[in-house]
Amino acid sequence: MNRNVPGISAVSYALGGEARAVSAQRLRDFGFKTIHLAGSETAYDLARRATSKLLRNVRLDPESVDILVYATALPLPRPRSRNPLAQFDYPATRLQYELGMTRANVVGVSQAGCVSLFSAVRLARDVLMAERGIQRVLCVGSDVLPRGSSREILYNAMSDGACALLVERGARNTILSYAQSTKGFYWSARSGEHQLIATYFPTAKRVIDEALRRARTSIDEIKLVLPHNVNEKSWRLLLELLDVPRDRLFHRNIARKGHTIAADPFINLADARSIAPGDRLLLFTFGFGAHWAAMVVEH
Amino acid sequence: MRQTILITGASGLVGAEIARSLSRRGEVIGLEHRAKLSVRARRGDIAKRNLGLSASDANALRAGVTAIVHAGGRTEFSMTRDAAERANVDGTANVLDFARGCPRLEKVILLSTVYVAGKRTGIIGEMDLVHRAGFVNEYERSKYRSEVLARRAMRDLPISVVRLSTIIGSSRGEIARYNAVHHALRLFHNGLVPMVPGEAKSVVDLISLDDAVSAVESVVTQFEPGTTHHVAAGRSALRLDDFLSSTATLFSRHGNGWRSRGIETPPIVTLRTFRLLESTARKTGDVFLQQVMTTMSTFAPQLSYPKVFDTTSLDRRGIRPCPLVEYYERVIRFALRRGWK
């Protein structure tokens, strides 16, 4: 552990409370068994649940949080009121207030799809390295698909979920590197689906290779790959491209938890048990927009 | 003595050019069943006995023919076995039968493909034929079987075989007919190729149409019975990784806004990984994805069997195919200007 380099010291998450078995055969063939729907809870409710849990678990004084970064992939729900001021009701500042993080500056991150929480962690890391006075950054990501939405997106079964992470200097999951590629050509998620599928694999490999290079780590030194929970077949292909054996992918949450929009790699970090101090982990995700992001972390 | 040269497949990409080229050297009669020719034509069909000619036409033709250039057949990689056998094996058998009845016959030139080598790897010699390595598609298999027939027939007929590599265009950059390689390049240009099968040693052997025609003309005019010739880039073929990166560079340079789309150069993967991609595409049930994979699958796996074609006989004749790097940019510009049509 390097005392000066930021890392992720705590992770807590909240999934939608309504567990539902995946019935579509194609999704089951692609590795999904159960998804979690928010039901009557909103994205804010899940964010509050995840953040409260984190504050409780680490016994963190909420007033010690310097910055709160709130990440969303989906647009905020349209306010019911016709009063234009209702457009400025922000869950981020509401969370800061309701959980007593009264010293925290608040930043919102959006328009990065499933990469939004990764972007939040990246910002947290960069701020901690740039500003000596900042000690703790709390990153929260939460997304709930609108009621009645299809739960299949490009061969993936979607869950609702939120995740809260504490990023601080000298923490046990040191962030060794971050790499991202954004291809704005795919700004519309509905067009160019086949091109997106084709470019997904080589771009993922390139971004992962870049993250490894920046961390001065080879793929062979990675103990565990913590994925975004896209389907098993897609991961099988990407692992072949990376020349990584399947037993180094933490894949069991794909079946059990489905694919939350932005929280998967960090949920997987929280759930992975077979990690020892010094192990290097590769976190990877992809978001519509389109963005590919990878992070190398040392436990 | 003035030559009378019968050319089968005279409306095809190579046959048409050879017919035009050989017209300077003798009377050329093209056998056709599909299209109008620029030379004197007889309506026939190599898939039928007597080449589909009436008895009297066949006899009249046999009486005068001094040379046969068999360029006919089908070249689609996606053919079924039956279709490939009918067009290429039966077609060759019928041409050889016809040839046996030609009293003035001096030479038979069979156009084949270097990919009769199928899944063999390493250096492929010009006289190499029989092998058990298998084939990537039915086109390769049918051309192999037609060459086996021709090799046997060399006992009683004056035959020379010319194996052509894949033709990418003319040295001026013109593409007269788009083949599987052009379709794959179009898919790459459109950002639809996630990966390409191959190995570090894989090369992409491509030749120009003019080199193919010059080489065939040389074999016709300086005929040596019982021989087989490779018309290929051989040792000067581009490595697969260099070919892909050159293609990407040319697309960036000449494709309007291509670079800003962030299309990646497809990585080279093992055949196992490529097959996994094929099966995953099938399981999605997406018709378009499956069509893309079919386009690639009929020939791309050949890249996983790295080989270099020996070109000793061309070298001996002083024929050196124009290196791809000298005209490839013109080919790509032509394709992009015409929208791959």
Side-chain angles (χ1 to χ4, degrees), chain B residues 137-166:
Chain B
N137 55 52
E138 294 301 333
Y139 166 73
E140 291 178 3
R141 185 197 308 276
S142 66
K143 295 300 280 185
Y144 169 88
R145 282 171 46 74
S146 79
E147 263 205 48
V148 167
L149 288 180
R151 185 71 65 97
R152 265 189 226 132
M154 281 177 182
R155 285 177 224 149
D156 59 305
L157 285 172
I159 298 173
S160 180
V161 174
V162 178
R163 295 175 180 157
L164 301 177
S165 184
T166 307

Side-chain angles (χ1 to χ4, degrees), chain B residues 105-320:
Chain B
L105 186 71
E106 295 168 10
K107 52 187 97 164
V108 178
I109 294 90
L110 167 76
L111 294 202
S112 182
T113 172
V114 289
Y115 294 105
V116 296
K119 295 180 181 176
R120 283 188 61 202
T121 59
I123 310 276
I124 310 296
E126 288 174 302
M127 289 310 288
D128 295 351
L129 179 57
V130 176
H131 67 84
R132 289 185 184 199
F135 303 94
V136 166
N137 55 52
E138 294 301 333
Y139 166 73
E140 291 178 3
R141 185 197 308 276
S142 66
K143 295 300 280 185
Y144 169 88
R145 282 171 46 74
S146 79
E147 263 205 48
V148 167
L149 288 180
R151 185 71 65 97
R152 265 189 226 132
M154 281 177 182
R155 285 177 224 149
D156 59 305
L157 285 172
I159 298 173
S160 180
V161 174
V162 178
R163 295 175 180 157
L164 301 177
S165 184
T166 307
I167 294 171
I168 189 70
S170 76
S171 57
R172 287 182 309 280
E174 292 146 350
I175 304 170
R177 205 162 290 189
Y178 289 82
N179 57 35
V181 172
H182 299 112
H183 295 317
L185 289 172
R186 177 175 53 85
L187 289 176
F188 177 5
H189 178 259
N190 292 346
L192 290 166
V193 180
M195 48 193 81
V196 163
E199 291 193 10
K201 291 178 292 193
S202 301
V203 296
V204 181
D205 198 301
L206 298 170
I207 58 172
S208 72
L209 178 60
D210 3 346
D211 283 331
V213 172
S214 302
V216 173
E217 192 171 356
S218 166
V219 170
V220 171
T221 53
Q222 297 166 55
F223 180 74
E224 294 171 274
T227 55
T228 300
H229 311 269
H230 283 163
V231 185
R235 283 176 176 77
S236 42
L238 270 191
R239 279 170 49 122
L240 177 58
D241 51 2
D242 290 337
F243 176 73
L244 291 171
S245 60
S246 304
T247 304
T249 301
L250 293 174
F251 285 162
S252 288
R253 196 180 294 161
H254 300 293
N256 200 15
W258 188 81
R259 195 151 172 244
S260 65
R261 291 170 55 192
I263 295 171
E264 304 280 325
T265 300
I268 299 169
V269 300
T270 63
L271 188 57
R272 188 180 93 148
T273 304
F274 187 76
R275 293 288 185 221
L276 181 60
L277 176 67
E278 283 177 317
S279 73
T280 304
R282 266 198 306 275
K283 288 192 163 65
T284 64
D286 185 302
V287 171
F288 184 82
L289 270 181
Q290 289 167 13
Q291 280 171 351
V292 167
M293 289 314 302
T294 300
T295 299
M296 297 292 298
S297 300
T298 53
F299 77 99
Q302 179 59 245
L303 296 165
S304 294
Y305 303 99
K307 49 173 79 51
V308 174
F309 300 108
D310 178 41
T311 55
T312 299
S313 78
L314 269 197
D315 296 342
R316 206 163 28 89
R317 287 166 186 248
I319 297 175
R320 296 222 152 67

Side-chain angles (χ1 to χ4, degrees), chain B residues 80-101:
Chain B
T80 63
R81 186 172 294 198
D82 277 349
E85 288 277 309
R86 264 197 313 276
N88 296 336
V89 184
D90 296 348
T92 297
N94 291 332
V95 168
L96 294 173
D97 273 344
F98 183 88
R100 285 189 181 91

Side-chain angles (χ1 to χ4, degrees), chain A residues 49 78 84 100 149 197 218 230:
Chain A
R49 241 196 317 128
R78 192 175 296 172
S149 296
I197 290 171
S218 71
V230 293

Side-chain angles (χ1 to χ4, degrees), chain A residues 26 29-30 155 181 183 185-186 193-199 201-203 205-206 233-234 236-237 240-241, chain B residues 190-195 260-265 267 269-270 272-273 276-277 280 283-284 286 288-289:
Chain A
R26 182 169 67 188
D29 289 345
F30 276 50
Y155 315 109
S181 176
K183 296 185 179 182
F185 177 73
Y186 300 102
E193 172 186 321
H194 298 111
Q195 285 88 343
L196 197 52
I197 290 171
T199 203
F201 296 100
T203 310
K205 177 169 167 33
R206 181 171 58 77
K233 293 197 187 301
S234 157
R236 239 186 107 191
L237 266 168
E240 290 259 335
L241 210 50
Chain B
N190 292 346
L192 290 166
V193 180
M195 48 193 81
S260 65
R261 291 170 55 192
I263 295 171
E264 304 280 325
T265 300
V269 300
T270 63
R272 188 180 93 148
T273 304
L276 181 60
L277 176 67
T280 304
K283 288 192 163 65
T284 64
D286 185 302
F288 184 82
L289 270 181

